Amino acid sequence: MPRHPPGTLKDPIIVKSAGDEQYCGCTGCPADSHTVKWLTTSRKRPIERCPECGSVYKMEYVGPPDDPHDHGHHGHEEPKTFADYVRPEYCL
């Protein structure tokens, strides 16, 4: 997916998904400038940043509406990733 400049937090690369999770592979900018880094985006954590080149990806959910029976009390906590430690001044 050639794209210049790479995705930023203000203008991320959009990845559409009909499921709860979507994997996306980043090959850098320009394309193929690093080996594939696989990132996992989800409905609960839609934004991920590539640890190699800094490109930002955002999952856009396009699937069916939420299940009214899911109350979100299953006790699962998402693990921290590289994106949790990015300084605000780098989010241009």
Side-chain angles (χ1 to χ4, degrees), residues 19-72:
D20 288 336
E21 284 188 344
Q22 182 66 41
Y23 297 103
C24 50
C26 180
T27 60
C29 186
D32 297 326
S33 61
H34 64 68
T35 59
V36 178
K37 303 295 181 196
W38 292 101
L39 308 169
T40 305
T41 56
S42 67
R43 291 178 70 186
K44 292 183 179 177
R45 187 184 187 94
I47 297 175
E48 284 296 329
R49 182 186 294 265
C50 175
E52 185 80 18
C53 67
S55 291
V56 178
Y57 295 84
K58 180 178 181 181
M59 186 182 104
E60 182 179 296
Y61 180 71
V62 294
D66 289 332
D67 179 0
H69 301 290
D70 181 19
H71 302 291

Side-chain angles (χ1 to χ4, degrees), residues 44 72-78:
K44 292 183 179 177
H73 53 75
H74 299 289
H76 176 72
E77 183 177 327
E78 289 289 324

